[in-house]
Amino acid sequence: MSESPRASKHKEHSSKSPRKRRDGKRSQRRGGDREQLLWEIECRRLPGQHEHLEPCSSASDAAESSPKRRAHFLHGPYPATHFGPKACILPNPTSVMHIQDPASQRLTWNKPPVNVLVIRKIRDESLAEPFKELCRFLVEEKQMMVYVERRVADDATLSKDEAFGSIRNQLCTFREGYDDISDCIDLIICLGGDGTLLYASSLFQGSVPPVMAFHLGSLGFLTPFKFESYKTEVAKVFEGNAAITLRSRLKVKVVKDMLQRTGEQNLKTQKPPKVFVLNEVVVDRGPSSYLSNVDLYLDGRLITSVQGDGLIVSTPTGSTAYAAAAGASMIHPNVPAIMVTPICPHSLSFRPIVVPAGVELMITLSPDARNTAWVSFDGRKRQEIQHGDCIKITTSCYPVPSICCHDLVYDWFESLAQCLHWNVRKRQARLADTSDSSDTEN
């Protein structure tokens, strides 16, 4: 008769010594722990990082909504390293932590770029010629598909130029809020000031293609390239391996208290829209003459109540904008952080603070607030905040990959010196005779 499986299994176990059984269990446990660790590391990778393939839109959406992405580690969410359909960061096999060495932040192309979005500053006739020159270069010399806004293509200056007519007929147009171009743009080129970069960020709610910004505006803190050498600079970017700065963005949800506002008990909750912010979220008192009185929560815990003109929640990129004017420190874009800055607080001890990028901030009206508040996102989409509403702010895993002219450290300090005149002072003259020094008089 054949032995039963249970008996044969018992016989197999009994044939081993207790020491061998213990060693086997330990090795099995170690193997299981190793497999568990590898599985957790694998889960933390973004879609498309396993074999460096192009990520699909559904995979990127799943990465943004996955609960594993909202882990409360201090350095913020793992930033997406694929930008648009064809660009990514040069893979670094020696990188272990999710924060890359700034020197390794190099752009490369999985496939040659084809579609280029050109954003031009509106209502500035001085940019008409640079815009036409760039479009002609991209279409005729580089054989690129150029996308522009419809209101830019319909500009009277371009319509009257018959020599530019053949190029204008080849431009692909879109309308903000109506046409989705997030899955077809490989590279963004901005002509103008810092506002063009902020506008480019607002067009992409997920992965953002690489952004190359030319300084043709007034300030130009975020636009390091000079247009005089645009052909050489654009050709270098098309070749790949360019230095980039990953500018983190804030993901903001405004949750309205619809139940209190409508009085309907069976109102179905609607998912609040998400807004992605590159500079800052500003909560202020609006047209009211009363103090703004809002409560600030960090990971669900009340931190403080803000009584003053308002509050600024900014990214490191936004720390040199409104926050700097309100007295905040300036943070390099590669620092994973969120800055909280009060606007004219009615307190002598309320200083700006920096919190880890991985936290979730929530702003609500205080119960005893005398008036409502107003919120804006990078200076746009301004709306009123009433009692029961809340603003939830986290760091998005989709940064804006801003292409550097030199490198991400030099470009930032160059902008501080040239645009904000940081630490500009008349030099102190050296002493003609060291014997006049008070240290040598004794």
Side-chain angles (χ1 to χ4, degrees), residues 388-401:
D389 301 343
C390 68
I391 307 168
K392 295 183 178 181
I393 305 172
T394 57
T395 300
S396 171
C397 64
Y398 295 112
V400 174

Side-chain angles (χ1 to χ4, degrees), residues 40-106:
E40 292 177 357
I41 293 175
E42 193 72 9
C43 287
R44 289 193 177 187
R45 293 183 180 178
L46 285 179
Q49 282 186 317
H50 305 284
E51 299 179 2
H52 305 293
L53 299 175
E54 292 184 24
C56 62
S57 59
S58 60
S60 61
D61 294 340
E64 182 72 25
S65 60
S66 173
K68 293 183 181 296
R69 311 281 297 172
R70 191 60 191 93
H72 286 270
F73 44 89
L74 294 182
H75 297 297
Y78 197 119
T81 55
H82 285 76
F83 315 117
K86 297 177 183 175
C88 67
I89 286 183
L90 186 67
N92 183 9
T94 62
S95 178
V96 178
M97 296 183 63
H98 66 274
I99 300 179
Q100 284 199 332
D101 178 9
S104 68
Q105 290 183 188
R106 309 289 299 182

Side-chain angles (χ1 to χ4, degrees), residues 93-339:
T94 62
S95 178
V96 178
M97 296 183 63
H98 66 274
I99 300 179
Q100 284 199 332
D101 178 9
S104 68
Q105 290 183 188
R106 309 289 299 182
L107 177 69
T108 186
W109 300 100
N110 294 329
K111 294 181 180 180
V114 176
N115 302 322
V116 180
L117 170 62
V118 178
I119 296 179
R120 169 197 161 186
K121 185 178 179 181
I122 305 297
R123 296 184 298 273
D124 191 344
E125 295 183 359
S126 64
L127 296 182
E129 290 303 322
F131 174 78
K132 291 187 288 186
E133 189 175 344
L134 176 63
C135 290
R136 185 176 288 107
F137 168 74
L138 294 174
V139 173
E140 295 182 346
E141 297 188 29
K142 295 299 181 179
Q143 287 77 46
M144 296 288 168
M145 292 292 295
V146 178
Y147 286 74
V148 298
E149 282 188 274
R150 179 173 296 181
R151 55 178 176 170
V152 173
D154 294 340
D155 185 80
T157 306
L158 300 181
S159 303
K160 296 177 182 179
D161 190 348
E162 297 181 358
F164 187 72
S166 60
I167 301 297
R168 180 172 173 270
N169 294 333
Q170 300 181 52
L171 300 179
C172 301
T173 61
F174 71 96
R175 293 181 299 168
E176 181 189 6
Y178 294 92
D179 303 318
D180 184 13
I181 59 172
S182 57
D183 294 333
C184 59
I185 299 300
D186 303 324
L187 175 67
I188 304 174
I189 298 181
C190 297
L191 303 178
D194 297 342
T196 57
L197 190 63
L198 298 177
Y199 178 68
S201 171
S202 68
L203 295 176
F204 297 86
Q205 301 301 297
S207 177
V208 184
V211 181
M212 186 179 191
F214 287 92
H215 177 31
L216 292 170
S218 54
L219 184 62
F221 192 91
L222 306 178
T223 55
F225 289 95
K226 304 298 182 183
F227 190 76
E228 290 75 13
S229 58
Y230 78 93
K231 289 188 177 182
T232 303
E233 300 296 345
V234 172
K236 288 180 181 178
V237 172
F238 285 157
E239 293 172 0
N241 199 24
I244 61 173
T245 298
L246 297 183
R247 300 186 180 275
S248 64
R249 297 194 294 174
L250 299 177
K251 183 176 67 175
V252 189
K253 295 181 181 179
V254 179
V255 182
K256 297 289 186 178
D257 188 4
M258 299 300 296
L259 184 62
Q260 178 181 351
R261 206 165 291 179
T262 61
E264 298 179 7
Q265 297 297 328
N266 298 323
L267 182 67
K268 295 182 180 180
T269 57
Q270 297 179 355
K271 190 175 181 180
K274 293 178 292 186
V275 180
F276 289 82
V277 174
L278 179 58
N279 261 359
E280 73 270 310
V281 179
V282 178
V283 180
D284 58 63
R285 59 190 175 93
S288 175
S289 59
Y290 290 111
L291 286 176
S292 175
N293 192 352
V294 297
D295 292 337
L296 176 64
Y297 294 82
L298 190 148
D299 285 338
R301 178 178 296 180
L302 179 63
I303 300 300
T304 188
S305 294
V306 182
Q307 298 183 84
D309 281 352
L311 187 69
I312 305 171
V313 180
S314 59
T315 64
T317 298
S319 67
T320 54
Y322 193 178
S329 298
M330 293 180 290
I331 307 176
H332 189 276
N334 258 74
V335 178
I338 301 176
M339 171 156 282

